[in-house]
Amino acid sequence: MRTHPLALITRTLLAAGLLAAPAATQDKPLYLDPTAALDKRLDDLLPRLSLDEKLALIRANGKFRSGGVPRLGIPYLWTADGPQGVREELGLDSWESAKRTDDFVTAMPVGMALASSWDPELAKLYGKVIGEEARARDKHVMLGPALNIQRTPLCGRTYDYFGEDPWLSGRMTVGYVQGMQNEQVAACIKHFALNNQETNRHAINVEADERTLREIYLPAFEAGVKEGGALSVMAAYNKFRGQHAGHHDYLLNQILKNEWGFKGSVISDWSGTHDTREAALNGLDLEMGTVRPYENYYLARAYKEGLLRGEYPMSTLDDKARRNLRVLFTTGAVEGRKPGFINTPAHLDAARQVAQDGIVLLKNTGGLLPIDLTKVKSIAVIGENAVRTFAAGGNAAGVKAFREVDMLQGIVKRVGSAADITYATGYRQPVRRNFWERDGAGVRRSELDPKYLAEAAGLADRAVAAAKTADLVIFVGGLTHQAFADDEGVDRRDLSLPSGQDALIARIVEANPRTVVALISGGPVLMPWLDKAPAVLQAWYGGSEAGTALARVLFGDANPSGKLPCTFPKALADIPAHQGGARTFPGENGTVHYDEGLLVGYRWFDTKHVEPLFPFGFGLSYTSFAYGPLTVTPGSSALEPTLALDITNSGQREGAEVVQLYVRAKKARVMRPEKELKGFAKVLLKPGETRRVNLKLDGRSFAYYAPEAKAWRVDAGEYELLVGTSSRDIRQAGSFKVVKPAVLPK
């Protein structure tokens, strides 16, 4: 943990009695008075800074470091990846590992696993864990969470995100940000905005209409800023309407800062800055990772020369410096922070809870799950993913996990001596070969070396033989963070399972119909064997306690309660982004067109009546739930009804249900999707228990964005309120009438 040299010297002299403590608060400059209002402290500090000191605050002087004014006791600002935990330490000016032994941390499950919990309070705990560990590692800004909407499941970073729905993404974002920032660590919500593919991510130009921008791709960021209070925002790599998002006047100045009132710092993605004038004037506050010497950054010498020539107002520099200082002061970097904690039992338990609550039970024919060890005496565990670990990622921001329980370890520990366990690899994914060169984000180009293809037949045959002799099979397959799987910098090529897994699963199920398939991936995959496999679990990448979590669900110690945060399609062609050829993905002539508009994910499937493999919001349980009648009560405001209904656990096991509320405009004046998620609640119930669930709506629940008015508008008319257990399983319905049209305040 780093301690600022000035603070260390001061504490040493005070302890030795060689330096007298200040007699009164007024003896200190106002900016060093922690009892003073933050804006007054910043007002006091800014005039004390020289031009060069202000410039130092707005660009990097290390791979993850910036700022620092030693003569005034202002420390460096330290940032770190990433959304799932604090990245291992790198060299100050290098992308290579620093080879330290004190940077092992808790690996949290990926964003899609967290989103599958549909639990904002769990998201808050998630943020708290990362915040405490970041503080222990002396990081001021964590570069997460990642909020980009899943437009296509081929996106290589889908695993990082919270799925396809802006409302769900927003609720998880608020919890995550608040949990982290309560621990004196700034959340940096990313990537703002429309970063929905990895192919050509540094240059692709996105064309999307205004309603699509406002209703699909911005709401999670808006929630993170307005409700979560995010202290920093990372700008995206891509262009939007012809201008790089890293210094985009409309996105950063007009929307983020002016409309939403964002007072924090806009940070570039690494190597995401391209022009001094745009960076100076269009809302960028901190330039990181540009591939050139630090003094040659766009916001360094060139910006200084422009300021001195009068090309840029000095007020632009003061605003940038002030925003970065706000982050430093708010995180306690100046007066010192409370100690942090790493790899505590509570942190590992939180990782297990998230992984467990994010597991989605997709199929359970005949009640094969949970596994009854009084009836099962031999288990064959098959699949390379059963013994893989994933925290280090591929090109993703890697976490050096203190421990990572793989799936086989979790199963073996849980079963103990109750049954015999055999393991067969079954398949082996090609080896990843990294090349030495890295891009500006530190991502290495890589390829897959088909090293193990020759042994594939033998591996499969041995796995089938193991399946035949076992009472039950647990197949653990899916993707990895290998190239063209779930990997930063490159998108998937298709939705199929790699390495012949589909054919292998079909053979295994034929050899032993009592087969459970557990899939590890960051997004949807195709399942051509689904009608034959009796039980299927979606387990995502589960972090440090992935194996423990899966074992608890498999053997009934925990009842699965996860719900899909994204639609699983039957075919890639069913996805709207893949309806228009290269024009709509991955783009042609440098531009990708979001022709599907608002119809992303279930909005498309439900509006166009396309049958999914599994719908958005879907997830089974080991128990069952009954939905009582729905009542709708008008609120004190004309646009704030409250819905109430009773949920009863009608089964034999304790379990949690996610009650989902969708809104449908009966007769829309403008194009509206078939239905849109506008509320949800997760309720834990004992067998036979009934609980009243209340869901409150507001004006935005009924609104659409009207570009001509530059505002959110609610039309008069009837709105259906649909309550169910997924977007395709509506259990109760009510209605609400808007008597007068309204334009909502910003």
Side-chain angles (χ1 to χ4, degrees):
M1 177 173 176
R2 299 179 187 85
T3 302
H4 191 268
L6 182 60
L8 181 61
I9 293 170
T10 301
R11 287 205 299 265
T12 302
L13 293 174
L14 283 169
L18 300 176
L19 181 66
T25 301
Q26 57 264 32
D27 294 336
K28 294 191 294 186
L30 181 63
Y31 77 88
L32 289 178
D33 181 2
T35 66
L38 176 57
D39 282 322
K40 290 187 179 297
R41 298 176 72 184
L42 298 178
D43 288 341
D44 179 67
L45 175 59
L46 275 170
R48 300 174 185 268
L49 299 172
S50 70
L51 176 64
D52 287 335
E53 287 169 338
K54 290 177 183 178
L55 287 165
L57 292 169
I58 69 169
R59 54 91 173 160
N61 49 42
K63 285 296 181 188
F64 289 89
R65 189 186 74 175
S66 65
V69 185
R71 74 177 183 88
L72 295 177
I74 307 301
Y76 293 117
L77 178 74
W78 288 91
T79 66
D81 286 315
Q84 289 97 45
V86 190
R87 186 175 185 163
E88 71 169 320
E89 292 294 331
L90 305 180
L92 178 61
D93 299 305
S94 168
W95 286 110
E96 303 307 317
S97 171
K99 305 295 184 184
R100 286 171 54 167
T101 58
D102 60 349
D103 55 351
F104 291 87
V105 298
T106 305
M108 298 299 286
V110 295
M112 285 289 273
L114 176 60
S116 296
S117 75
W118 290 59
D119 189 342
E121 286 302 311
L122 194 59
K124 197 169 186 177
L125 176 61
Y126 188 111
K128 173 182 172 64
V129 169
I130 296 180
E132 288 184 342
E133 300 207 342
R135 202 171 66 244
R137 291 270 302 277
D138 208 19
K139 309 301 181 186
H140 305 111
V141 179
M142 286 301 297
L143 305 176
L147 314 184
N148 299 109
I149 294 295
Q150 181 190 293
R151 177 177 179 254
T152 167
L154 293 187
C155 177
R157 294 190 76 178
T158 283
Y159 65 91
D160 256 344
Y161 306 146
F162 294 150
E164 70 190 26
D165 182 76
W167 176 258
L168 174 61
S169 296
R171 295 308 91 202
M172 303 310 290
T173 296
V174 171
Y176 185 124
V177 170
Q178 290 178 341
M180 179 180 290
Q181 294 193 166
N182 287 343
E183 300 304 321
Q184 295 181 295
V185 175
C188 182
I189 55 179
K190 63 185 187 182
H191 311 83
F192 191 71
L194 298 124
N195 182 183
N196 307 110
Q197 64 186 65
E198 293 298 285
T199 302
N200 196 23
R201 64 176 178 161
H202 291 273
I204 193 70
N205 176 49
V206 176
E207 290 294 331
D209 66 79
E210 193 68 11
R211 280 192 65 195
T212 298
L213 172 70
R214 297 287 189 149
E215 295 183 34
I216 302 296
Y217 296 103
L218 293 191
F221 289 98
E222 185 177 5
V225 169
K226 288 184 174 180
E227 298 177 61
L231 286 166
S232 59
V233 172
M234 180 185 289
Y237 281 132
N238 52 280
K239 296 176 182 177
F240 175 53
R241 298 175 184 167
Q243 186 174 64
H244 275 285
H247 25 77
H248 197 287
D249 179 65
Y250 184 55
L251 290 177
L252 303 181
N253 283 335
Q254 297 183 45
I255 296 178
L256 178 63
K257 294 182 176 180
N258 293 340
E259 286 188 31
W260 297 352
F262 177 66
K263 292 185 177 181
S265 173
V266 174
I267 302 176
S268 76
D269 205 340
W270 273 234
S271 192
T273 309
H274 306 273
D275 181 85
T276 293
R277 173 166 290 277
E278 290 192 1
L281 301 177
N282 290 357
L284 181 65
D285 300 310
L286 177 57
E287 180 183 358
M288 299 297 294
T290 301
V291 185
R292 54 176 63 187
Y294 300 123
E295 63 271 16
N296 291 337
Y297 272 31
Y298 294 99
L299 287 179
R301 181 187 297 127
Y303 181 38
K304 177 180 179 180
E305 292 171 352
L307 287 165
L308 294 175
R309 289 193 299 266
E311 293 179 18
Y312 315 122
M314 284 291 179
S315 60
T316 63
L317 174 59
D318 285 345
D319 182 62
K320 297 176 195 298
R322 184 185 190 93
R323 289 172 179 274
N324 291 311
L325 287 169
R326 180 179 295 277
V327 174
L328 270 171
F329 276 79
T330 304
T331 57
V334 176
E335 53 263 14
R337 300 191 286 177
K338 56 187 177 182
F341 309 96
I342 294 181
N343 299 316
T344 66
H347 290 180
L348 293 169
D349 187 63
R352 191 264 314 156
Q353 187 73 46
V354 174
Q356 174 182 296
D357 288 8
I359 292 173
V360 184
L361 178 60
L362 297 176
K363 186 178 179 182
N364 193 23
T365 302
L368 183 59
L369 292 174
I371 299 168
D372 185 350
L373 287 174
T374 66
K375 300 177 181 178
V376 173
K377 295 305 175 186
S378 61
I379 300 172
V381 179
I382 298 172
E384 189 187 35
N385 272 6
V387 294
R388 272 187 178 270
T389 55
F390 301 96
N395 277 329
V399 171
K400 193 156 74 175
F402 172 68
R403 83 177 196 191
E404 188 173 356
V405 181
D406 67 37
M407 301 307 187
L408 181 60
Q409 290 171 335
I411 292 168
V412 168
K413 182 176 180 180
R414 173 59 181 82
V415 171
S417 61
D420 293 329
I421 297 176
T422 58
Y423 171 71
T425 304
Y427 69 92
R428 192 171 276 136
Q429 299 201 32
V431 172
R432 178 199 191 105
R433 296 193 304 192
N434 285 320
F435 296 89
W436 281 109
E437 67 268 22
R438 296 179 183 266
D439 68 10
V443 174
R444 276 181 173 162
R445 184 169 65 86
S446 64
E447 66 179 12
L448 295 181
D449 178 5
K451 180 178 178 182
Y452 299 116
L453 293 181
E455 65 174 349
L459 290 174
D461 288 344
R462 288 191 288 275
V464 172
K468 287 180 179 178
T469 61
D471 292 341
L472 181 139
V473 176
I474 302 172
F475 179 88
V476 185
L479 306 179
T480 66
H481 288 304
Q482 298 281 67
F484 307 109
D486 287 316
D487 198 15
E488 181 178 358
V490 61
D491 291 321
R492 292 164 62 182
R493 292 166 169 165
D494 55 47
L495 295 182
S496 297
L497 292 175
S499 305
Q501 290 181 67
D502 288 325
L504 177 59
I505 293 171
R507 289 183 64 191
I508 289 171
V509 174
E510 183 177 0
N512 190 333
R514 292 174 56 79
T515 294
V516 179
V517 178
L519 296 174
I520 301 172
S521 70
V525 298
L526 301 182
M527 304 179 196
W529 35 264
L530 181 62
D531 61 336
K532 298 177 182 177
V536 182
L537 290 161
Q538 176 64 35
W540 315 107
Y541 300 104
S544 283
E545 293 292 321
T548 305
L550 179 64
R552 285 178 55 79
V553 170
L554 286 171
F555 296 98
D557 304 320
N559 192 343
S561 63
K563 301 281 188 177
L564 291 179
C566 58
T567 303
F568 276 42
K570 289 185 175 180
L572 181 62
D574 292 340
I575 298 293
H578 297 276
Q579 300 286 315
R583 172 185 167 86
T584 54
F585 182 85
E588 57 185 7
N589 301 320
T591 296
V592 59
H593 296 266
Y594 286 21
D595 290 346
E596 70 280 2
L598 303 174
L599 301 184
V600 176
Y602 71 91
R603 288 167 168 79
W604 169 272
F605 282 81
D606 291 355
T607 303
K608 299 294 185 180
H609 307 293
V610 178
E611 189 68 26
L613 186 66
F614 295 105
F616 174 82
F618 178 83
L620 302 175
S621 172
Y622 295 154
T623 189
S624 56
F625 301 95
Y627 283 58
L630 178 67
T631 61
V632 181
T633 305
S636 55
S637 166
L639 296 175
E640 294 185 351
T642 298
L643 290 75
L645 75 164
D646 290 336
I647 304 296
T648 300
N649 183 340
S650 53
Q652 302 301 312
R653 289 175 177 267
E654 181 179 79
E657 172 69 325
V658 177
V659 181
Q660 302 165 38
L661 168 59
Y662 299 84
V663 174
R664 173 196 289 149
K666 266 194 168 181
K667 293 183 180 179
R669 191 173 68 85
V670 298
M671 184 274 169
R672 304 291 294 268
E674 171 70 11
K675 66 173 78 75
E676 298 176 276
L677 182 72
K678 295 299 179 182
F680 61 88
K682 191 165 190 175
V683 54
L684 178 65
L685 299 169
K686 292 181 171 59
E689 182 182 3
T690 297
R691 187 171 301 175
R692 175 59 59 100
V693 173
N694 294 292
L695 298 165
K696 187 174 182 179
L697 298 178
D698 61 18
R700 283 286 283 267
S701 305
F702 306 100
Y704 61 91
Y705 190 81
E708 70 283 0
K710 297 184 178 180
W712 292 88
R713 174 175 286 160
V714 180
D715 287 341
E718 198 82 17
Y719 292 84
E720 290 183 278
L721 309 178
L722 310 172
V723 178
T725 188
S726 80
S727 65
R728 288 291 181 100
D729 187 358
I730 302 302
R731 303 292 181 87
Q732 297 290 349
S735 65
F736 180 72
K737 188 173 183 178
V738 175
V739 178
K740 294 182 180 180
V743 175
L744 304 181
K746 292 181 180 179

